[in-house]
Amino acid sequence: MGHWIQIDTPHGRISGWRADPADAPRGALVIVQEIFGVNAHIRSVAESFAIDGYVALAPAYFDPIEPRVELGYDDAGIARGRDLIARLGLDAAVDITASAADAIAGAGKVGCVGYCWGGTVALLAAMRLGLPSVNYYGARNAPFLTETPLAPVMCHFGERDASIPPERVQQHRDLLPQMDVFTYPAGHGFNCDLRTDYEPSSARLARERTLDFFHRNLA
């Protein structure tokens, strides 16, 4: 279902994994990767949203540094991913998100969904680009919670996520009460079936809420 395309961005031409629905799209989604690149999991996420009726595009955010990065969920992959996101920077990530949104705008209203590091990029897409966005366990959100979203935002967090303690989750509710913030009996990365923290019941419920969010905000 999915295939690689090219996306022109302010940081050069990059690749992206695009998946299209079988019928007329109900909108479009930019899928923002974790720190591990556009790997098999992120490609499958894009394809699953296409099954639900959305044109889904997962930009390869690391291409300006190194093309087609795919990392494992081990210590070496984490270290390499952290280095790459530090070198890329969030401002460039927002630029790339905007370019990806432009590339699929012909499919209708565009939203954004991101995971881990990508969750924070998705939050910034709502705040700075006006894209309705869903943030899965974005551990880097805190510095941006004083900004005002230009579009609706939904957040999903695991109650056992050591990188996002309960007081940090509450900070989201206190500073941005207009956001939908949900917690689940799970750890970090609970949506990813390739990670040890995968929790299928929580992943399923978060997905149902995410699809409802996009149904309401991309109609």
Side-chain angles (χ1 to χ4, degrees):
M1 179 185 297
H3 59 282
W4 290 104
I5 68 166
Q6 295 296 303
I7 308 165
D8 290 318
T9 82
H11 305 277
R13 179 168 286 188
I14 68 168
S15 56
W17 186 258
R18 174 172 173 152
D20 291 89
D23 299 314
R26 60 174 61 186
L29 296 173
V30 179
I31 313 297
V32 191
Q33 64 184 55
E34 303 167 303
I35 66 171
F36 306 100
V38 182
N39 58 11
H41 169 62
I42 294 299
R43 295 194 298 270
S44 71
V45 167
E47 290 167 7
S48 70
F49 279 115
I51 290 171
D52 286 305
Y54 296 94
V55 172
L57 178 58
Y61 284 83
F62 297 155
D63 272 13
I65 302 168
E66 180 182 328
R68 298 285 181 90
V69 171
E70 294 190 39
L71 302 173
Y73 294 92
D74 55 10
D75 290 344
I78 292 170
R80 176 71 173 136
R82 286 175 173 168
D83 174 66
L84 287 165
I85 63 170
R87 292 167 63 189
L88 179 67
L90 285 168
D91 288 341
V94 172
D95 291 343
I96 290 170
T97 303
S99 297
D102 288 343
I104 52 177
K109 193 169 182 181
V110 182
C112 182
V113 56
Y115 305 85
C116 187
W117 171 78
T120 298
V121 177
L123 177 67
L124 292 174
M127 290 175 162
R128 300 178 182 179
L129 303 176
L131 301 182
S133 296
V134 176
N135 171 335
Y136 276 78
Y137 32 84
R140 297 166 177 83
N141 295 350
F144 310 106
L145 295 179
T146 55
E147 296 186 26
T148 301
L150 302 176
V153 185
M154 175 178 285
C155 298
H156 303 299
F157 298 108
E159 294 164 0
R160 298 192 293 270
D161 187 339
S163 66
I164 311 173
E167 57 271 21
R168 182 68 54 78
V169 175
Q170 187 59 42
Q171 188 179 25
H172 288 70
R173 296 188 172 110
D174 293 341
L175 294 176
L176 291 170
Q178 69 270 45
M179 293 197 309
D180 293 323
V181 178
F182 297 102
T183 60
Y184 303 84
H188 189 77
F190 67 81
N191 183 71
C192 178
D193 58 3
L194 300 180
R195 302 181 72 157
T196 56
D197 273 331
Y198 176 57
E199 207 296 297
S201 295
S202 298
R204 184 167 52 251
L205 179 56
R207 183 172 180 79
E208 290 171 359
R209 289 168 168 163
T210 295
L211 289 172
D212 177 68
F213 173 89
F214 287 128
H215 179 71
R216 288 183 282 111
N217 290 292
L218 300 185

